């Protein structure tokens, strides 16, 4: 691995059977939801290095949740596990029958984080929400979120409801990864400039391997608040279908009477999606503009790249 890589340590924790390894496998290892049933329990700690946006490397520690392992994390392995953590992701099974024990382990994690990595960001995923009756989901999640925020003080935590069977998993992980991107504000500023120059309604930037949304800009209000996660889910499933046929997905254009959507390889680590509603702008012009912007965004992606904005010239 390159010595110039920026490594970010991410702890993935929670009781055994809460769904940690399943969600990791879907996001980072191209599993589909039904295939996660064959995954076994994690033994102790599984380490994986996920290269993300070129030089950014997620050092992911998937920590087995059996009682014996959990106790070891807080005693003999405490310094090793909780030192230099950028993000703690704690997964709760919403239907757990040992909620009190789950909360106890979570508080033990927070104490260790406060001692060893006080600047770490904390995320709680209330998982397997598909098992809860639909009309009860909002209420149950709100109650659990309030409890977790209270227990987390003086640290702050961000909570998400998740399920491997819908787009909520992508929403949560996109939000988490967004926090780790070092030059995200510069990326967003340039994406805004790009969208305005080409007169797009909306532009989305996806990480190439995971298809998580890492940045976006919209000029017009859109009705579906969950569209990013739905697109991530749909396109990733389509990419997997292509790979099973020994084909590779590169680009797509979808057009109807109201809009045109272009999805294309953008940089070596991203895909871009451009939404256009102006019928007077031909497809060829939009595709040329995407091509012309590629080199500029390649420079922005590099963690050690230039800090000043570059001027784009679009045709």
């Amino acid at each position: 691995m390159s010595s110039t890589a920026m490594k970010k340590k991410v702890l993935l924790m929670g009781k055994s059977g809460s769904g940690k390894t399943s969600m990791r496998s879907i996001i980072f290892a191209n599993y589909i939801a039904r295939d996660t049933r064959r995954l076994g329990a994690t033994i102790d700690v599984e380490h994986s290095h996920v290269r993300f946006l070129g030089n950014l490397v997620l050092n992911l520690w998937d920590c087995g949740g059996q009682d014996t392992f959990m106790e070891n994390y807080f005693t003999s392995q405490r310094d090793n596990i909780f030192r230099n953590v950028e993000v703690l992701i704690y997964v709760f099974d919403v239907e757990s029958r040992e909620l009190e024990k789950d909360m106890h382990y979570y508080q033990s994690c927070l104490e260790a984080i406060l001692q060893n990595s006080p600047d770490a960001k904390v995320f709680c995923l209330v998982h397997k929400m598909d098992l809860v009756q639909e009309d009860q989901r909002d209420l149950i999640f709100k109650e659990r979120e309030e409890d977790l925020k209270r227990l987390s003080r003086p640290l702050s935590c961000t909570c998400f409801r998740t399920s491997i069977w819908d787009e909520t998993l992508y929403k949560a992980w996109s939000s988490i990864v967004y926090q780790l991107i070092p030059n995200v504000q510069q990326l967003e500023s340039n994406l805004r400039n790009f969208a305005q120059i080409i007169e797009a309604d909306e532009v989305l930037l996806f990480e190439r391997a995971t298809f998580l949304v890492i940045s976006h800009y919209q000029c017009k209000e859109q009705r579906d608040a969950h569209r990013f996660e739905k697109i991530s889910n749909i396109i990733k499933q389509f990419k997997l279908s292509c790979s099973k046929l020994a084909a590779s997905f590169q680009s797509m254009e979808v057009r109807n009477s109201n809009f045109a959507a272009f999805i294309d390889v953008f940089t070596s680590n991203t895909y871009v999606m451009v939404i256009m509603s102006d019928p007077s702008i031909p497809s060829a012009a939009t595709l040329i503009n995407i091509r012309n912007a590629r080199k500029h965004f390649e420079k922005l992606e590099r963690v050690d790249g230039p800090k000043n904005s570059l001027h784009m010239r679009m045709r």
Side-chain angles (χ1 to χ4, degrees):
M1 188 171 297
S2 171
S3 59
T4 61
M6 178 178 284
K7 297 177 186 177
K8 304 273 190 174
K9 182 176 177 180
V10 179
L11 285 188
L12 183 58
M13 304 193 78
K15 282 297 300 299
S16 181
S18 60
K20 304 182 298 299
T21 303
S22 293
M23 63 172 65
R24 186 197 80 188
S25 299
I26 288 171
I27 297 295
F28 295 110
N30 291 331
Y31 274 66
I32 57 177
R34 66 173 179 267
D35 289 345
T36 61
R37 292 169 178 158
R38 67 173 187 260
L39 292 168
T42 301
I43 305 301
D44 202 8
V45 181
E46 286 187 8
H47 299 269
S48 55
H49 291 83
V50 182
R51 186 168 287 279
F52 204 87
L53 284 182
N55 289 341
L56 177 60
V57 174
L58 305 187
N59 184 8
L60 192 59
W61 294 40
D62 183 356
C63 303
Q66 294 91 329
D67 289 344
T68 306
F69 297 142
M70 295 293 272
E71 294 297 339
N72 284 338
Y73 302 152
F74 306 131
T75 54
S76 60
Q77 297 187 59
R78 188 183 184 94
D79 290 347
N80 181 44
I81 295 286
F82 294 101
R83 190 188 297 124
N84 300 322
V85 174
E86 292 277 343
V87 167
L88 167 66
I89 304 168
Y90 203 97
V91 182
F92 293 89
D93 180 348
V94 71
E95 293 217 313
S96 172
R97 297 180 182 180
E98 297 183 305
L99 185 57
E100 194 171 321
K101 183 187 277 188
D102 295 347
M103 293 299 190
H104 167 71
Y105 280 141
Y106 174 59
Q107 284 190 295
S108 297
C109 278
L110 293 180
E111 290 169 9
I113 285 288
L114 266 172
Q115 183 181 5
N116 292 276
S117 303
D119 296 327
K121 297 178 176 68
V122 179
F123 296 89
C124 293
L125 307 188
V126 183
H127 195 46
K128 303 185 182 180
M129 288 295 290
D130 55 284
L131 301 177
V132 178
Q133 280 185 246
E134 196 165 348
D135 61 351
Q136 294 292 308
R137 290 175 190 172
D138 288 346
L139 176 63
I140 289 174
F141 175 72
K142 188 174 182 182
E143 289 176 349
R144 198 63 59 87
E145 182 179 36
E146 288 173 355
D147 289 342
L148 289 168
K149 285 183 177 291
R150 178 174 46 80
L151 284 172
S152 299
R153 294 176 189 146
L155 292 169
S156 62
C157 77
T158 304
C159 300
F160 294 97
R161 67 185 84 186
T162 54
S163 166
I164 63 171
W165 299 100
D166 61 29
E167 69 277 359
T168 56
L169 190 64
Y170 285 88
K171 177 181 177 63
W173 279 89
S174 288
S175 299
I176 292 166
V177 167
Y178 177 87
Q179 302 282 336
L180 296 170
I181 299 171
N183 58 344
V184 70
Q185 290 181 333
Q186 189 184 19
L187 195 61
E188 288 183 333
S189 173
N190 282 272
L191 203 66
R192 180 180 68 246
N193 292 342
F194 175 56
Q196 291 172 346
I197 289 168
I198 68 172
E199 299 178 32
D201 293 9
E202 188 165 35
V203 178
L204 281 69
L205 203 60
F206 300 91
E207 198 278 329
R208 191 164 182 168
T210 61
F211 238 81
L212 295 174
V213 176
I214 53 174
S215 185
H216 81 281
Y217 179 75
Q218 68 180 66
C219 302
K220 292 185 179 180
E221 197 65 33
Q222 305 293 336
R223 286 181 294 178
D224 190 347
H226 305 292
R227 63 194 180 282
F228 301 160
E229 301 80 46
K230 290 177 180 177
I231 293 166
S232 290
N233 203 0
I234 291 167
I235 298 299
K236 190 164 186 186
Q237 297 305 315
F238 182 69
K239 279 183 66 184
L240 293 175
S241 298
C242 290
S243 64
K244 288 177 181 177
L245 297 172
S248 61
F249 170 75
Q250 177 153 344
S251 63
M252 176 188 296
E253 179 179 344
V254 179
R255 182 180 289 275
N256 63 21
S257 58
N258 297 316
F259 72 91
F262 303 84
I263 301 175
D264 203 351
V265 170
F266 199 41
T267 68
S268 56
N269 300 293
T270 61
Y271 277 84
V272 69
M273 181 175 187
V274 176
I275 308 296
M276 308 286 291
S277 62
D278 185 345
S280 68
I281 300 176
S283 296
T286 300
L287 293 172
I288 288 171
N289 285 335
I290 290 172
R291 185 185 67 199
N292 288 346
R294 281 178 180 142
K295 188 178 291 186
H296 172 68
F297 278 87
E298 283 278 10
K299 291 178 182 177
L300 288 178
E301 268 181 26
R302 299 178 195 134
V303 173
D304 56 345
K307 301 302 179 189
N308 297 322
S309 293
L310 300 172
H311 296 290
M312 288 180 288
R313 294 180 180 177
M314 313 308 297
R315 297 183 182 275

